[in-house]
Amino acid sequence: MRTGGIDSSQIQAMIAQLKAHATKPGLTPPVIQTEAPATPKADFSDALKKSLDAVNASQVEADTLNKKFAMGDDSVSLSDVMIAQQKASINFQGTIQVRNKLVSAYHDIMNMQV
């Protein structure tokens, strides 16, 4: 009997090989994971706090470099100060945009008909 181009005797031979291989000592059957591994849940307030702390840190760094440059510290160049200020500005603007989106979503939810 032929099934799709493979002889049934070939199929039986393959099944026998698989069974023989599975019964060899020292081999463990493969473990099939049916559920996704448990991942720690990210808390929104923690993520928000971390991002606000990062924005604050970039602003503090920019301010510190600015003060060092103004005091005449030779280890700080004008380009370092300008780059730090631009990074802090971009971080702050991004934070403002996220805040605006959150407020907009809050208003949309509050105006929904129940």
Side-chain angles (χ1 to χ4, degrees), residues 1-14:
M1 173 186 216
R2 292 189 56 86
T3 311
I6 298 177
D7 192 13
S8 63
S9 62
Q10 290 176 330
I11 294 174
Q12 294 300 327
M14 286 183 202

Side-chain angles (χ1 to χ4, degrees), residues 42-51:
D43 192 15
F44 179 75
S45 62
D46 290 340
L48 185 62
K49 183 175 180 354
K50 285 179 186 177
S51 85

Side-chain angles (χ1 to χ4, degrees), residues 10-114:
Q10 290 176 330
I11 294 174
Q12 294 300 327
M14 286 183 202
I15 292 174
Q17 286 177 349
L18 289 173
K19 286 181 181 178
H21 184 66
T23 58
K24 286 185 180 178
L27 294 177
T28 57
V31 176
I32 299 173
Q33 190 170 4
T34 57
E35 293 181 12
T39 57
K41 293 186 178 183
D43 192 15
F44 179 75
S45 62
D46 290 340
L48 185 62
K49 183 175 180 354
K50 285 179 186 177
S51 85
L52 290 176
D53 288 343
V55 170
N56 184 43
S58 69
Q59 289 178 335
V60 168
E61 178 187 2
D63 188 47
T64 302
L65 287 176
N66 192 11
K67 286 179 182 176
K68 284 183 180 180
F69 183 75
M71 298 292 272
D73 190 351
D74 292 336
S75 67
V76 179
S77 68
L78 179 60
S79 60
D80 291 339
V81 173
M82 296 304 292
I83 290 171
Q85 287 179 342
Q86 286 300 313
K87 284 181 182 179
S89 175
I90 290 170
N91 287 339
F92 185 70
Q93 289 173 6
T95 302
I96 295 298
Q97 292 299 319
V98 169
R99 183 211 56 187
N100 291 344
K101 290 289 184 182
L102 287 172
V103 169
S104 175
Y106 174 77
H107 285 298
D108 290 345
I109 291 171
M110 293 306 293
N111 291 330
M112 283 183 182
Q113 296 290 329
V114 191

